[in-house]
Coordinates of all heavy atoms in Angstrom, one line a residue:
G1 N 0.8 -1.2 0.0 CA 0.0 0.0 0.0 C 0.8 1.3 0.0 O 0.5 2.2 -0.7
A2 N 1.9 1.3 0.8 CA 2.8 2.4 0.9 C 3.5 2.7 -0.5 O 3.6 3.9 -0.9 CB 3.8 2.3 2.0
C3 N 3.9 1.7 -1.1 CA 4.6 1.8 -2.4 C 3.6 2.4 -3.5 O 4.0 3.2 -4.3 CB 5.2 0.5 -2.9 SG 6.6 0.0 -1.8
C4 N 2.4 1.8 -3.5 CA 1.4 2.3 -4.4 C 1.0 3.8 -4.1 O 0.9 4.6 -5.1 CB 0.2 1.5 -4.4 SG 0.4 -0.2 -5.1
G5 N 0.9 4.1 -2.9 CA 0.6 5.5 -2.5 C 1.7 6.4 -2.9 O 1.5 7.6 -3.4
A6 N 3.0 6.0 -2.7 CA 4.1 6.8 -3.1 C 4.1 7.0 -4.6 O 4.4 8.1 -5.1 CB 5.4 6.2 -2.6
A7 N 3.8 6.0 -5.4 CA 3.8 6.1 -6.8 C 2.7 7.0 -7.3 O 2.9 7.8 -8.2 CB 3.6 4.7 -7.4
V8 N 1.5 6.9 -6.6 CA 0.4 7.9 -7.0 C 0.8 9.3 -6.7 O 0.6 10.2 -7.4 CB -0.9 7.5 -6.3 CG1 -1.9 8.6 -6.4 CG2 -1.4 6.2 -6.8
Y9 N 1.5 9.5 -5.5 CA 1.9 10.8 -5.1 C 2.9 11.4 -6.2 O 2.8 12.6 -6.6 CB 2.6 10.8 -3.8 CG 3.2 12.1 -3.3 CD1 2.3 13.1 -2.9 CD2 4.5 12.3 -3.3 CE1 2.8 14.3 -2.5 CE2 5.0 13.5 -2.9 CZ 4.2 14.5 -2.5 OH 4.7 15.7 -2.1
I10 N 3.8 10.6 -6.6 CA 4.8 11.1 -7.6 C 4.1 11.4 -8.9 O 4.4 12.4 -9.6 CB 5.9 10.0 -7.8 CG1 6.8 9.9 -6.6 CG2 6.7 10.3 -9.1 CD1 7.7 8.8 -6.6
L11 N 3.2 10.5 -9.4 CA 2.4 10.8 -10.6 C 1.6 12.0 -10.5 O 1.5 12.8 -11.5 CB 1.5 9.6 -11.0 CG 2.3 8.3 -11.4 CD1 1.3 7.2 -11.6 CD2 3.0 8.6 -12.7
I12 N 0.9 12.3 -9.4 CA 0.1 13.5 -9.2 C 1.0 14.7 -9.3 O 0.7 15.7 -9.9 CB -0.7 13.4 -7.9 CG1 -1.8 12.4 -8.0 CG2 -1.2 14.8 -7.5 CD1 -2.6 12.2 -6.7
R13 N 2.1 14.7 -8.6 CA 3.0 15.8 -8.6 C 3.6 16.1 -10.1 O 3.6 17.2 -10.5 CB 4.2 15.6 -7.7 CG 3.8 15.5 -6.2 CD 3.2 16.8 -5.7 NE 4.1 17.9 -5.8 CZ 3.8 19.2 -5.7 NH1 2.6 19.5 -5.6 NH2 4.7 20.1 -5.8
R14 N 3.9 15.1 -10.8 CA 4.5 15.3 -12.1 C 3.4 15.8 -13.1 O 3.6 16.6 -13.9 CB 5.1 14.0 -12.7 CG 6.4 13.7 -12.1 CD 7.1 12.5 -12.8 NE 8.4 12.3 -12.1 CZ 9.2 11.3 -12.5 NH1 8.8 10.5 -13.5 NH2 10.3 11.2 -11.9
A15 N 2.2 15.2 -13.0 CA 1.1 15.7 -13.8 C 0.7 17.1 -13.5 O 0.3 17.9 -14.4 CB -0.1 14.7 -13.7
G16 N 0.7 17.4 -12.2 CA 0.4 18.8 -11.8 C 1.4 19.8 -12.3 O 1.0 20.9 -12.6
K17 N 2.6 19.4 -12.5 CA 3.6 20.4 -13.0 C 3.4 20.6 -14.5 O 3.9 21.5 -15.1 CB 5.0 19.8 -12.7 CG 5.4 20.0 -11.3 CD 6.8 19.4 -11.0 CE 7.1 19.5 -9.5 NZ 8.5 19.0 -9.2
K18 N 2.7 19.6 -15.2 CA 2.5 19.8 -16.6 C 1.2 20.5 -16.9 O 0.7 20.5 -18.0 CB 2.5 18.4 -17.3 CG 3.8 17.7 -17.2 CD 3.9 16.4 -18.0 CE 5.3 15.9 -17.9 NZ 5.4 14.6 -18.7
G19 N 0.5 21.0 -15.9 CA -0.7 21.8 -16.1 C -2.0 21.0 -16.0 O -3.1 21.6 -16.3
V20 N -2.0 19.8 -15.5 CA -3.2 19.1 -15.3 C -3.9 19.6 -14.1 O -3.3 19.8 -13.0 CB -2.9 17.6 -15.1 CG1 -4.2 16.8 -14.9 CG2 -2.2 17.0 -16.4
H21 N -5.2 19.8 -14.1 CA -6.0 20.3 -13.0 C -6.1 19.3 -11.9 O -6.3 18.1 -12.2 CB -7.4 20.8 -13.5 CG -8.0 21.7 -12.6 ND1 -8.8 21.3 -11.5 CD2 -8.0 23.1 -12.5 CE1 -9.2 22.3 -10.9 NE2 -8.8 23.4 -11.4
T22 N -6.1 19.7 -10.7 CA -6.2 18.8 -9.6 C -7.5 18.0 -9.5 O -7.5 16.8 -9.2 CB -6.1 19.6 -8.2 OG1 -4.9 20.4 -8.3 CG2 -6.0 18.7 -7.0
L23 N -8.6 18.6 -9.9 CA -9.9 17.9 -9.9 C -9.9 16.8 -11.0 O -10.5 15.7 -10.7 CB -11.0 18.8 -10.2 CG -11.3 19.8 -9.0 CD1 -12.4 20.7 -9.4 CD2 -11.6 19.1 -7.7
Q24 N -9.1 16.9 -12.1 CA -9.0 15.9 -13.0 C -8.2 14.7 -12.4 O -8.6 13.5 -12.6 CB -8.3 16.4 -14.3 CG -9.1 17.3 -15.1 CD -8.3 17.9 -16.2 OE1 -7.1 18.1 -16.1 NE2 -8.9 18.2 -17.4
L25 N -7.2 15.0 -11.7 CA -6.4 14.0 -11.1 C -7.2 13.2 -10.0 O -7.2 12.0 -9.9 CB -5.1 14.6 -10.4 CG -4.2 15.2 -11.4 CD1 -3.1 16.0 -10.7 CD2 -3.6 14.2 -12.3
L26 N -8.0 14.0 -9.2 CA -8.8 13.3 -8.2 C -9.9 12.5 -8.8 O -10.2 11.4 -8.3 CB -9.4 14.4 -7.3 CG -8.4 15.0 -6.3 CD1 -9.2 16.2 -5.5 CD2 -7.8 14.1 -5.3
F27 N -10.5 13.0 -9.9 CA -11.5 12.2 -10.6 C -10.9 10.9 -11.1 O -11.5 9.8 -11.0 CB -12.2 13.0 -11.7 CG -13.2 12.2 -12.4 CD1 -14.5 12.0 -11.9 CD2 -12.9 11.7 -13.7 CE1 -15.4 11.3 -12.6 CE2 -13.8 11.0 -14.4 CZ -15.1 10.8 -13.9
S28 N -9.8 11.0 -11.7 CA -9.1 9.8 -12.3 C -8.8 8.8 -11.2 O -9.0 7.6 -11.3 CB -7.9 10.2 -13.1 OG -8.2 10.9 -14.2
W29 N -8.3 9.3 -10.1 CA -7.9 8.5 -8.9 C -9.1 7.7 -8.4 O -9.0 6.5 -8.2 CB -7.2 9.3 -7.9 CG -7.0 8.6 -6.6 CD1 -7.7 8.7 -5.4 CD2 -6.0 7.7 -6.3 NE1 -7.2 7.9 -4.5 CE2 -6.1 7.2 -5.0 CE3 -4.9 7.2 -7.1 CZ2 -5.3 6.3 -4.4 CZ3 -4.1 6.3 -6.4 CH2 -4.2 5.9 -5.1
V30 N -10.2 8.4 -8.2 CA -11.4 7.8 -7.7 C -12.0 6.8 -8.7 O -12.3 5.7 -8.3 CB -12.4 8.9 -7.3 CG1 -13.8 8.2 -6.9 CG2 -11.9 9.7 -6.1
T31 N -12.1 7.2 -9.9 CA -12.8 6.4 -11.0 C -12.0 5.1 -11.2 O -12.5 4.0 -11.1 CB -12.9 7.2 -12.3 OG1 -13.7 8.4 -12.0 CG2 -13.6 6.3 -13.3
F32 N -10.7 5.2 -11.5 CA -9.9 4.1 -11.9 C -9.6 3.2 -10.6 O -9.5 2.0 -10.7 CB -8.7 4.4 -12.6 CG -9.0 5.1 -14.0 CD1 -8.7 6.4 -14.2 CD2 -9.7 4.3 -14.9 CE1 -9.1 6.9 -15.5 CE2 -10.0 4.9 -16.2 CZ -9.7 6.2 -16.4
G33 N -9.4 3.8 -9.5 CA -9.2 3.1 -8.2 C -10.5 2.2 -7.9 O -10.3 1.1 -7.5
T34 N -11.6 2.8 -8.1 CA -12.9 2.0 -7.8 C -13.0 0.9 -8.9 O -13.4 -0.2 -8.5 CB -14.1 3.0 -7.9 OG1 -13.9 4.0 -6.9 CG2 -15.4 2.2 -7.6
M35 N -12.8 1.2 -10.1 CA -12.9 0.2 -11.1 C -12.0 -1.0 -10.9 O -12.3 -2.1 -11.0 CB -12.7 0.8 -12.5 CG -13.8 1.6 -13.0 SD -13.6 2.5 -14.6 CE -12.5 1.5 -15.5
F36 N -10.7 -0.7 -10.6 CA -9.7 -1.7 -10.3 C -10.1 -2.5 -9.1 O -9.9 -3.7 -9.0 CB -8.3 -1.1 -10.2 CG -7.3 -2.2 -10.0 CD1 -6.9 -3.0 -11.0 CD2 -6.7 -2.3 -8.7 CE1 -5.9 -4.0 -10.8 CE2 -5.8 -3.3 -8.5 CZ -5.4 -4.1 -9.5
S37 N -10.6 -1.8 -8.0 CA -10.9 -2.5 -6.8 C -12.1 -3.5 -7.1 O -12.1 -4.6 -6.6 CB -11.3 -1.5 -5.7 OG -10.2 -0.8 -5.4
L38 N -13.1 -3.0 -7.8 CA -14.2 -3.9 -8.1 C -13.7 -5.1 -9.0 O -14.2 -6.2 -8.8 CB -15.3 -3.2 -8.9 CG -16.1 -2.2 -8.0 CD1 -17.1 -1.4 -8.9 CD2 -16.9 -3.0 -6.9
F39 N -12.9 -4.8 -9.9 CA -12.3 -5.9 -10.8 C -11.6 -6.9 -9.9 O -11.8 -8.1 -10.0 CB -11.4 -5.4 -11.9 CG -10.8 -6.4 -12.7 CD1 -11.6 -7.1 -13.7 CD2 -9.5 -6.8 -12.6 CE1 -11.1 -8.1 -14.5 CE2 -9.0 -7.8 -13.4 CZ -9.7 -8.4 -14.3
A40 N -10.7 -6.4 -9.1 CA -9.8 -7.3 -8.3 C -10.6 -8.0 -7.2 O -10.3 -9.2 -6.9 CB -8.7 -6.5 -7.6
G41 N -11.7 -7.4 -6.6 CA -12.4 -8.0 -5.5 C -13.6 -8.8 -5.9 O -14.0 -9.7 -5.2
V42 N -14.2 -8.5 -7.1 CA -15.5 -9.1 -7.4 C -15.3 -10.0 -8.7 O -15.6 -11.2 -8.7 CB -16.6 -8.1 -7.6 CG1 -17.9 -8.8 -8.1 CG2 -16.8 -7.3 -6.4
V43 N -14.8 -9.4 -9.7 CA -14.8 -10.1 -11.0 C -13.7 -11.1 -11.1 O -13.9 -12.3 -11.6 CB -14.6 -9.0 -12.2 CG1 -14.4 -9.7 -13.5 CG2 -15.7 -8.1 -12.2
L44 N -12.5 -10.8 -10.6 CA -11.4 -11.8 -10.7 C -11.6 -13.1 -9.9 O -11.4 -14.2 -10.5 CB -10.1 -11.1 -10.2 CG -8.8 -11.7 -10.5 CD1 -8.6 -11.9 -12.1 CD2 -7.6 -10.9 -10.0
P45 N -12.1 -13.1 -8.7 CA -12.4 -14.4 -8.0 C -13.5 -15.2 -8.8 O -13.4 -16.4 -8.9 CB -12.9 -14.0 -6.7 CG -12.3 -12.6 -6.4 CD -12.3 -12.0 -7.7
V46 N -14.5 -14.5 -9.3 CA -15.6 -15.2 -10.1 C -15.0 -15.8 -11.3 O -15.3 -16.9 -11.7 CB -16.7 -14.2 -10.4 CG1 -17.7 -14.9 -11.4 CG2 -17.4 -13.8 -9.1
M47 N -14.1 -15.1 -12.0 CA -13.4 -15.7 -13.2 C -12.6 -16.9 -12.9 O -12.4 -17.7 -13.7 CB -12.6 -14.6 -13.9 CG -13.4 -13.5 -14.6 SD -12.4 -12.2 -15.2 CE -11.2 -13.0 -16.2
Q48 N -12.0 -16.9 -11.7 CA -11.2 -18.1 -11.3 C -12.1 -19.2 -10.7 O -11.5 -20.2 -10.3 CB -10.2 -17.6 -10.2 CG -9.2 -16.7 -10.7 CD -8.3 -16.2 -9.6 OE1 -8.6 -16.3 -8.4 NE2 -7.2 -15.6 -10.0
G49 N -13.4 -19.1 -10.7 CA -14.2 -20.2 -10.3 C -14.5 -20.1 -8.8 O -15.2 -21.0 -8.3
K50 N -14.1 -19.1 -8.1 CA -14.3 -19.0 -6.7 C -15.6 -18.2 -6.4 O -15.9 -17.3 -7.3 CB -13.1 -18.4 -6.0 CG -11.8 -19.1 -6.1 CD -10.7 -18.4 -5.5 CE -9.4 -19.0 -5.8 NZ -8.3 -18.2 -5.4
S51 N -16.2 -18.3 -5.3 CA -17.4 -17.5 -5.0 C -16.8 -16.2 -4.4 O -15.9 -16.2 -3.7 CB -18.3 -18.1 -4.1 OG -17.7 -18.3 -2.8
S52 N -17.4 -15.1 -4.8 CA -17.0 -13.8 -4.3 C -17.6 -13.5 -2.9 O -18.8 -13.8 -2.7 CB -17.5 -12.7 -5.3 OG -17.1 -11.4 -4.8
S53 N -16.8 -13.0 -2.0 CA -17.4 -12.7 -0.7 C -17.8 -11.2 -0.6 O -18.0 -10.7 0.5 CB -16.3 -13.0 0.4 OG -15.1 -12.2 0.1
F54 N -18.0 -10.6 -1.7 CA -18.4 -9.2 -1.8 C -19.8 -9.1 -1.5 O -20.7 -9.8 -2.0 CB -18.1 -8.6 -3.2 CG -18.4 -7.1 -3.3 CD1 -17.6 -6.2 -2.8 CD2 -19.6 -6.7 -3.9 CE1 -17.9 -4.8 -2.9 CE2 -19.9 -5.4 -4.0 CZ -19.1 -4.5 -3.5
V55 N -20.2 -8.2 -0.5 CA -21.5 -7.9 -0.1 C -21.8 -6.4 -0.1 O -20.9 -5.7 0.5 CB -21.8 -8.5 1.2 CG1 -23.2 -8.2 1.7 CG2 -21.6 -10.0 1.2
W56 N -22.8 -5.9 -0.7 CA -23.2 -4.5 -0.6 C -23.6 -4.2 0.8 O -24.4 -4.9 1.4 CB -24.3 -4.1 -1.6 CG -23.8 -4.1 -3.0 CD1 -24.0 -5.0 -3.9 CD2 -23.1 -3.1 -3.6 NE1 -23.4 -4.7 -5.1 CE2 -22.9 -3.5 -4.9 CE3 -22.5 -1.9 -3.2 CZ2 -22.1 -2.7 -5.8 CZ3 -21.8 -1.1 -4.1 CH2 -21.6 -1.5 -5.4
P57 N -23.2 -3.1 1.4 CA -23.6 -2.7 2.7 C -25.1 -2.4 2.7 O -25.6 -1.8 1.8 CB -22.8 -1.4 3.0 CG -21.7 -1.4 2.1 CD -22.1 -2.2 0.9
T58 N -25.8 -2.8 3.8 CA -27.3 -2.6 3.8 C -27.7 -1.5 4.8 O -28.7 -0.9 4.7 CB -28.0 -3.9 4.2 OG1 -27.5 -4.4 5.4 CG2 -27.8 -4.9 3.1
S59 N -26.8 -1.2 5.8 CA -27.2 -0.2 6.8 C -26.8 1.2 6.4 O -25.8 1.4 5.7 CB -26.6 -0.6 8.2 OG -25.2 -0.4 8.1
L60 N -27.6 2.1 6.8 CA -27.3 3.5 6.5 C -26.0 4.0 7.2 O -25.2 4.7 6.6 CB -28.4 4.4 7.0 CG -28.3 5.9 6.8 CD1 -28.2 6.2 5.3 CD2 -29.4 6.7 7.4
D61 N -25.7 3.5 8.4 CA -24.4 3.8 9.0 C -23.2 3.4 8.2 O -22.2 4.1 8.1 CB -24.3 3.2 10.4 CG -25.3 3.8 11.4 OD1 -25.7 5.0 11.2 OD2 -25.6 3.1 12.4
A62 N -23.3 2.2 7.6 CA -22.1 1.7 6.8 C -21.9 2.7 5.6 O -20.8 3.0 5.3 CB -22.4 0.3 6.3
W63 N -23.0 3.1 4.9 CA -22.9 4.0 3.8 C -22.3 5.3 4.2 O -21.5 6.0 3.5 CB -24.2 4.1 3.1 CG -24.5 3.0 2.2 CD1 -25.4 2.0 2.4 CD2 -23.8 2.6 1.0 NE1 -25.4 1.1 1.4 CE2 -24.4 1.4 0.5 CE3 -22.8 3.2 0.3 CZ2 -24.0 0.8 -0.7 CZ3 -22.4 2.6 -0.9 CH2 -22.9 1.4 -1.4
I64 N -22.7 5.8 5.4 CA -22.2 7.1 5.9 C -20.7 7.0 6.1 O -19.9 7.9 5.7 CB -22.9 7.5 7.2 CG1 -24.4 7.9 6.8 CG2 -22.2 8.7 7.9 CD1 -25.3 8.2 8.0
Y65 N -20.2 5.9 6.7 CA -18.8 5.7 6.9 C -18.1 5.6 5.6 O -17.0 6.1 5.4 CB -18.5 4.4 7.7 CG -18.9 4.6 9.2 CD1 -19.6 3.6 9.8 CD2 -18.5 5.7 9.9 CE1 -20.0 3.7 11.1 CE2 -18.9 5.8 11.2 CZ -19.6 4.8 11.9 OH -19.9 4.9 13.2
I66 N -18.6 4.9 4.6 CA -18.0 4.8 3.3 C -17.9 6.1 2.6 O -16.8 6.5 2.1 CB -18.8 3.8 2.4 CG1 -18.6 2.3 2.9 CG2 -18.3 3.8 1.0 CD1 -19.6 1.3 2.3
F67 N -18.9 6.9 2.6 CA -18.9 8.2 2.0 C -17.9 9.1 2.7 O -17.2 10.0 2.1 CB -20.2 8.8 1.8 CG -21.1 8.2 0.8 CD1 -22.3 7.7 1.1 CD2 -20.6 8.0 -0.5 CE1 -23.1 7.1 0.1 CE2 -21.4 7.4 -1.5 CZ -22.6 6.9 -1.2
G68 N -17.9 9.0 4.0 CA -16.9 9.8 4.8 C -15.5 9.5 4.5 O -14.7 10.4 4.3
V69 N -15.2 8.2 4.3 CA -13.8 7.8 3.9 C -13.5 8.4 2.5 O -12.4 8.9 2.3 CB -13.7 6.3 4.0 CG1 -12.4 5.8 3.3 CG2 -13.7 5.8 5.4
C70 N -14.4 8.3 1.6 CA -14.2 8.8 0.3 C -14.0 10.3 0.3 O -13.1 10.8 -0.4 CB -15.4 8.5 -0.6 SG -15.6 6.8 -1.0
I71 N -14.8 11.1 1.1 CA -14.6 12.5 1.1 C -13.3 12.9 1.8 O -12.6 13.7 1.3 CB -15.8 13.1 1.9 CG1 -17.1 13.0 1.1 CG2 -15.6 14.6 2.3 CD1 -18.4 13.3 1.8
F72 N -13.0 12.3 2.9 CA -11.7 12.6 3.6 C -10.5 12.2 2.8 O -9.5 12.8 2.8 CB -11.7 12.1 5.0 CG -12.5 12.9 6.0 CD1 -13.7 12.4 6.4 CD2 -12.0 14.1 6.4 CE1 -14.5 13.2 7.3 CE2 -12.8 14.9 7.3 CZ -14.0 14.4 7.8
G73 N -10.6 11.1 2.1 CA -9.5 10.6 1.2 C -9.3 11.6 0.1 O -8.2 11.9 -0.3
S74 N -10.4 12.0 -0.5 CA -10.3 13.0 -1.6 C -9.7 14.3 -1.1 O -8.8 14.9 -1.8 CB -11.6 13.3 -2.3 OG -12.1 12.1 -2.9
M75 N -10.1 14.7 0.0 CA -9.5 16.0 0.6 C -8.0 15.8 0.9 O -7.2 16.7 0.7 CB -10.3 16.4 1.9 CG -11.6 17.0 1.6 SD -12.4 17.7 3.0 CE -12.0 16.7 4.4
G76 N -7.7 14.6 1.4 CA -6.3 14.3 1.7 C -5.4 14.3 0.4 O -4.3 14.9 0.4
H77 N -5.9 13.8 -0.7 CA -5.2 13.8 -2.0 C -5.1 15.3 -2.5 O -4.1 15.7 -3.1 CB -5.8 12.9 -3.0 CG -5.4 11.5 -2.8 ND1 -4.1 11.1 -3.2 CD2 -5.9 10.5 -2.2 CE1 -4.0 9.8 -2.9 NE2 -5.1 9.4 -2.2
L78 N -6.2 16.0 -2.3 CA -6.1 17.4 -2.8 C -5.1 18.2 -2.0 O -4.3 18.9 -2.6 CB -7.5 18.1 -2.5 CG -7.6 19.5 -2.9 CD1 -7.7 19.7 -4.4 CD2 -8.8 20.2 -2.2
L79 N -5.0 18.0 -0.7 CA -4.0 18.7 0.1 C -2.6 18.2 -0.2 O -1.7 18.9 -0.1 CB -4.4 18.5 1.6 CG -5.6 19.2 2.1 CD1 -5.9 18.9 3.5 CD2 -5.5 20.7 1.9
M80 N -2.5 16.9 -0.5 CA -1.2 16.3 -0.8 C -0.7 16.9 -2.1 O 0.5 17.1 -2.2 CB -1.3 14.8 -0.9 CG 0.0 14.1 -1.1 SD -0.2 12.3 -1.0 CE -1.3 11.9 -2.4
N81 N -1.5 17.2 -3.0 CA -1.1 17.8 -4.3 C -0.6 19.2 -4.1 O 0.3 19.7 -4.8 CB -2.3 17.8 -5.3 CG -1.8 18.1 -6.7 OD1 -0.7 17.6 -7.1 ND2 -2.5 18.8 -7.5
Y82 N -1.2 19.9 -3.2 CA -0.7 21.3 -2.9 C 0.3 21.5 -1.8 O 0.7 22.5 -1.5 CB -1.9 22.2 -2.6 CG -2.8 22.5 -3.8 CD1 -4.1 22.0 -3.9 CD2 -2.3 23.3 -4.8 CE1 -4.9 22.3 -5.0 CE2 -3.1 23.5 -5.9 CZ -4.4 23.0 -6.0 OH -5.2 23.3 -7.1
A83 N 0.7 20.4 -1.2 CA 1.6 20.4 -0.1 C 3.1 20.8 -0.5 O 3.8 21.4 0.3 CB 1.7 19.1 0.6
G84 N 3.5 20.4 -1.7 CA 4.9 20.6 -2.1 C 5.0 21.9 -2.8 O 5.8 22.5 -3.2

């Protein structure tokens, strides 16, 4: 996780120096991170013949925590881009 985070940090800084807008970087991070996570966690085990243990949260509290993590994570990446 730390190596991937460092790689993302370097890519964000390099792209930011080339004039890419921060919101474009955050949108790409969220979109492709979500797509890859769904692929790795849901589709890949099913393709290998295993049953997926993925379950959608049903309680409102769980969704509030999930959206909170997304919001604070996006804010963290926004601040990380402007930190240097």
